[in-house]
Amino acid sequence: MSAGPWLLRLLACLALVLSAPVFATDTGFLLAASSKNWASYFPGQLANGYLSTTTSPRGTEGTPSTLVAFMDYTRDDISRPAAIPGWTEIDYSTGPTHAGQSWLNQVNLDEAHFPDYRQVLNLHDATLTTRYRYVDGARITQVEVTTLVSQAAPHLAATQLRITPEFDGEVQLSFALNLWAPHQPRLPLGRISGDEMPEALVAHGLKIEPVAPSTPDRAAMWYLGDTHVLGATGDAKGLTLQLDGRAEQGLRMAEAVTVGLPAGLTVTDAAIHKSPYRLALNLKARVRKGHSYAFTKFVAFSREGWGGNAADDLALARAARANGFAHLVDAHRAAWHALWKSDVRIDGDDQAQRIVHADLYYLLANTTPGTAWATGGCGMTGGYAGHVFWDSDTWVFPALLLLHPRRAESLVNFRARTLPAAEARAKAAGLRGAKFPWEADPQNGTEQVPYSAHALGEREIHVNADVAIAQWQYYLASGDRGWLAQYGWPVIRDVADFWASRATYVAAKQRYEIHHVTSVLEAYNDVPNDTFTNASARKALDIATAAAAVVGAQADPHWAEVAARLYIPFSEKDRRHLDFDPGVAHDIDAWGDTAVPALAYPSLDVPMGADVRRNDFDYATQLIERSQQPLNSMGLSPMSIAAATQGNTDAAGAWFQRNVTADVIKPPFGVRTETATNNTGYFLTAAGGMLQNIVYGFTGLRLEKAGLVQAYPPMLPRTWHSFTLTHVALRGAYYDITVGRDRDGKVVLTRRPVEGAP
């Protein structure tokens, strides 16, 4: 008796399930998409700090990709990440002759064509797996796609398409490199003024508003730059592609592909397709009903200063093909599992656990260990043009410091590597020391702020203090005097010299002030004595004196003099801090409308009495509640941390919960955006804040000369049973730190020594 169609379909489904990779059993690491997410699909990210791409609903589309600090330097523009040739596309057709034949990537994404759809971003394994049935007329194919960007072999990535056709016949496959056309229009952001910007946008038919579901409002300005292909070839017999390229006015890069075919497949034709927009290996092959066929695309990448040329990349891709997809996947998973030994584990709140894992995943995916590369505010994407802000030093760095110190070290080493550029900026401004950029180019450290916002580069100078504070925090956590002497101290010294020359002595008031500053509240563009700036500058000056003693250098006594007499705006009447000089009218409804909670941020942590903490928090709460602006996701963690420092469990928990449930978390893969409405995604700044909220806010721990000290009582959201920071690194030792409740219900913190580095 012959098997009926239902039995064949059942056997095909069983084969698909049995061949599927095993997901981590901990659902706190699994983010899933169903067909219900198609209309609101905000792509996730696959990256290893060197190479980045985004997810796509089918798992087979071509998606934009970038390389670390690989920048386009178009004349009259700001620098921006150059889009390298896209490597993810594998297209599939169920045959060349039957009626209704289509290519999978061109078919409408709907239930009729893609039933039984499920896509999973496994954060623990850093893999994207997509499964569905592809219905192309009378021909149906079971599809499974698995994609990864290797953590174990950073120059490699791969995607595997497994098909199980429910028919006999010939199929077609296309393995492509997408050679993106140069972006148009290119706006001259390096010279266009703020008054001209609206006119330029209108002239090109552009708007500054988000396009659902995932395009940010500033996509009209923050598009990816161009990579020019210098040479591209393919070998149909060897199943390979390779190309060399160069970013516009920038560095060289290379890329190579090898394709692995399933054993026993009958290939009827193989050819190379080349056009100005696409380099592809096209295949035709015969398949049999109910049989599974796995096609694997291995891709290798390099850029000037990191790897070789296309020939070298081709050798890497060939070696990966020879070793097989399973080998690459196993090594990649092992590398990510080692990273996850350092984790934040929450008992009692599954939703918070998934969001925290997503935030940590995106931080890890966009940073590198043991380098001198920083990360942009939106990671390796076009957001904020890939530039490095204070976000890297004050938001991302502290979140990684105790859990992943090698990645944190890369962020502070970036500032040491680009110190000469900062020294040149200070000299040009007639100042001593170093003036770090507001928007630093991630490759060369030059200022890259759009001309329309040039005032930020001139005046939002708190970034200098943020840089120095991060250098000192790394020393406090590592205890590495050799590193401090070679890398941290020159930065700290130059920052102190900058502040000593930038501050103005006001004889009538017998104090130092800092004038003509852009506040952290950027709507206030030219104010005296921004409180966050002055408090940060004072800490940077004190740090310089302390660092000099550690490395055996001579501290400039003027540093201590300026620090001791630097004015911090404060209302004696209300017993609270002001945002800036009381002579400035506080009358603009900017996001959050106050930076006062940031004074309690862990790395700054301005000393103050309990009454001042309470008054600062109450003042900030009133301003935020009356604001008509959408709350920036940067503002959530400072409020929770400020509440935690005063022992206000309910407020700290409530602000943290807003960070979990707010509309800034985009489905299906937990991408965090800057605001709920502007769609500026992969916002690592707020992801770092979220992690700091737990690592320092809820624990009450701070880095001081004595180590990791209990500066404030630990606290626990009332619905949580406990949380644990696993494998915390501190001065060569490792700990698990748990916050829970004792038998009497009191919140307590315990530390348990564990084995060394993973």
Side-chain angles (χ1 to χ4, degrees), residues 472 475 481 484 489 543-555 559 705:
W472 185 241
Y475 166 70
R481 294 188 180 186
L484 181 64
W489 164 245
I543 283 170
T545 300
V550 174
V551 301
Q554 182 66 45
W559 298 342
K705 289 183 180 179

Side-chain angles (χ1 to χ4, degrees), residues 486-554:
Q486 184 175 358
Y487 299 106
W489 164 245
V491 174
I492 292 170
R493 177 202 61 215
D494 275 12
V495 167
D497 282 342
F498 168 84
W499 288 118
S501 62
R502 182 64 170 78
T504 299
Y505 184 67
V506 181
K509 299 180 180 179
Q510 295 186 323
R511 69 190 187 197
Y512 285 91
E513 298 184 359
I514 303 176
H515 301 153
H516 302 295
V517 167
T518 295
S519 171
V520 178
L521 300 177
E522 292 175 358
Y524 297 89
N525 195 23
D526 185 1
V527 300
N529 300 313
D530 176 67
T531 300
F532 182 86
T533 300
N534 287 20
S536 300
R538 182 175 64 184
K539 182 155 189 171
L541 288 162
D542 287 339
I543 283 170
T545 300
V550 174
V551 301
Q554 182 66 45

Side-chain angles (χ1 to χ4, degrees), residues 194-220:
D195 292 336
E196 293 173 306
M197 180 65 73
E199 296 175 355
L201 293 170
V202 170
H204 289 289
L206 301 174
K207 295 181 179 180
I208 302 297
E209 61 183 37
V211 178
S214 61
T215 304
D217 61 347
R218 282 159 283 190

Side-chain angles (χ1 to χ4, degrees), residues 265-284:
L265 180 74
T266 300
V267 176
T268 59
D269 187 52
I272 299 298
H273 168 84
K274 183 178 178 181
S275 77
Y277 308 110
R278 203 164 186 269
L279 176 67
L281 170 66
N282 295 334
L283 300 178
K284 295 179 181 178

Side-chain angles (χ1 to χ4, degrees), residues 145-390:
V145 192
T146 302
T147 305
L148 62 89
V149 174
S150 178
Q151 186 66 230
H155 288 275
L156 292 173
T159 185
Q160 183 178 84
L161 171 69
R162 181 181 293 274
I163 60 171
T164 307
E166 299 180 11
F167 58 88
D168 294 326
E170 188 175 68
V171 299
Q172 298 183 79
L173 296 107
S174 183
F175 304 86
L177 291 175
N178 298 116
L179 315 180
W180 313 115
H183 190 279
Q184 294 295 332
R186 290 295 297 257
L187 300 178
L189 299 187
R191 60 176 175 81
I192 193 169
S193 71
D195 292 336
E196 293 173 306
M197 180 65 73
E199 296 175 355
L201 293 170
V202 170
H204 289 289
L206 301 174
K207 295 181 179 180
I208 302 297
E209 61 183 37
V211 178
S214 61
T215 304
D217 61 347
R218 282 159 283 190
M221 297 186 296
W222 290 338
Y223 42 83
L224 294 175
D226 303 327
T227 295
H228 302 293
V229 176
L230 304 178
T233 61
D235 178 3
K237 184 178 179 180
L239 305 175
T240 65
L241 305 169
Q242 65 183 90
L243 61 82
D244 285 290
R246 182 189 294 276
E248 174 66 29
Q249 303 296 314
L251 302 178
R252 294 180 68 105
M253 59 79 61
E255 203 166 334
V257 171
T258 59
V259 175
L261 302 181
L265 180 74
T266 300
V267 176
T268 59
D269 187 52
I272 299 298
H273 168 84
K274 183 178 178 181
S275 77
Y277 308 110
R278 203 164 186 269
L279 176 67
L281 170 66
N282 295 334
L283 300 178
K284 295 179 181 178
R286 286 197 292 269
V287 295
R288 296 174 59 193
K289 181 189 298 186
H291 288 247
S292 292
Y293 303 88
F295 301 86
T296 309
K297 185 179 182 182
F298 300 91
V299 196
F301 309 83
S302 60
R303 49 142 281 188
E304 197 172 329
W306 181 68
N309 56 22
D312 298 320
D313 290 344
L314 185 57
L316 285 174
R318 281 175 169 157
R321 181 172 64 183
N323 290 328
F325 186 61
H327 176 84
L328 186 66
V329 171
D330 288 346
H332 168 72
R333 285 175 174 161
W336 268 96
H337 295 178
L339 288 176
W340 285 114
K341 288 177 68 174
S342 297
D343 191 11
V344 177
R345 298 177 184 169
I346 300 169
D347 181 10
D349 191 333
D350 293 341
Q351 183 184 27
Q353 180 67 90
R354 281 190 295 274
I355 297 302
V356 166
H357 277 158
D359 281 327
L360 186 50
Y361 166 81
Y362 289 116
L363 291 176
L364 294 173
N366 285 280
T367 52
T368 53
T371 70
W373 279 314
T375 189
C378 296
M380 298 177 67
T381 73
Y384 282 105
H387 297 161
V388 180
F389 294 75
W390 69 302

Side-chain angles (χ1 to χ4, degrees), residues 415-429:
R415 297 301 191 180
R417 176 172 68 82
T418 58
L419 180 60
E423 290 173 333
R425 290 192 75 231
K427 184 177 181 180

Side-chain angles (χ1 to χ4, degrees), residues 735-754:
Y735 306 89
D736 283 353
I737 298 176
T738 298
V739 174
R741 295 183 178 87
D742 63 16
R743 293 180 179 178
D744 298 325
K746 180 182 178 182
V747 176
V748 294
L749 181 146
T750 58
R751 308 187 197 199
R752 181 174 65 87
V754 295

